[in-house]
Amino acid sequence: MDTRAWIERFAAVIDERGAELTELDRRAGDGDYGTNLRSALAKVRANLAADDPRTAGEVFTAVSNAFLHTGGTSGPLFGMWFREFAKGLGDEVSAGSLARAAGEAEATVRRLGGAEVGHKTMVDAMVPAAEALAAAAERNADVETALKEAAAAADAGARSTEELLAKRGRASYVGEHARGVTDPGALTVAWFFEAATK
């Protein structure tokens, strides 16, 4: 599994579709999400170029550091999420290491952000993806299969946020106005896992 190529594909998707995230955030938040995300990924590219990481752990450390130094509430949360991937993957990418990393990562975000599934946040995609990876690892699936199942679960989780009433994050401030809007953080998580399957 070439994790650097995975991250580069993810960054390319955000370059191409970041305006969609900004529009979702404009309807359900303060409208700066897409801009902050593109800024973080510009820093990711700079970190990857400067550090030239060789292992999965080093790649995700470069990603984490970029997000931790990005504005908005989501930047630090994604930074901590990616940091757990860095710690969990280390030198080896397998269904088992992905499951462990994703499980620790979503637990960290839930603990720090106070969100749970159903609150209309990035957690609505993170948790199902982690559960799908754990199920794949349990039956000794290969990495490609595990990531495809995680991507499908994250996508379903993101789509489920559309009709939810937000309980956490900026969208919770606008109440019913955010109903009918897919959470941009959850959609970002879905795109992240989808980028792993290309």
Side-chain angles (χ1 to χ4, degrees):
M1 175 71 197
D2 186 340
T3 51
R4 184 165 178 170
W6 174 4
I7 297 301
E8 288 170 350
R9 287 193 298 269
F10 174 54
V13 169
I14 300 304
D15 281 346
E16 182 183 335
R17 303 184 66 182
E20 294 176 43
L21 300 173
T22 296
E23 175 60 17
L24 291 171
D25 193 45
R26 187 190 65 75
R27 293 167 60 195
D30 53 13
D32 66 350
Y33 178 77
T35 302
N36 287 339
L37 190 60
R38 283 193 292 265
S39 173
L41 285 160
K43 292 175 185 173
V44 167
R45 287 186 169 115
N47 286 356
L48 291 174
D51 300 344
D52 194 23
R54 300 296 177 180
T55 68
E58 290 171 354
V59 168
F60 277 97
T61 295
V63 176
S64 172
N65 288 340
F67 274 88
L68 287 170
H69 293 94
T70 300
T73 46
S74 59
L77 287 174
F78 272 118
M80 297 301 288
W81 190 60
F82 285 123
R83 192 178 74 173
E84 294 302 324
F85 274 90
K87 288 161 57 178
L89 293 179
D91 295 339
E92 179 217 5
V93 180
S94 65
S97 67
L98 282 164
R100 288 189 298 276
E104 289 293 329
E106 62 86 357
T108 296
V109 170
R110 285 191 295 113
R111 185 174 68 253
L112 293 174
E116 297 293 342
V117 171
H119 285 182
K120 197 182 179 90
T121 72
M122 60 179 72
V123 167
D124 286 289
M126 289 176 173
V127 170
E131 290 173 346
L133 287 169
E138 182 71 23
R139 62 173 201 278
N140 296 315
D142 59 33
V143 169
E144 181 180 0
T145 299
L147 284 167
K148 283 181 177 176
E149 292 175 3
D155 180 65
R159 285 187 284 106
S160 78
T161 65
E162 185 173 351
E163 295 307 321
L164 293 173
L165 186 66
K167 303 288 180 63
R168 303 291 296 184
R170 293 279 185 182
S172 65
Y173 302 156
V174 299
E176 286 290 341
H177 290 292
R179 204 187 290 274
V181 180
T182 302
D183 180 73
L187 190 56
T188 301
V189 173
W191 289 353
F192 167 72
F193 281 108
E194 184 183 353
T197 69
K198 302 298 186 186

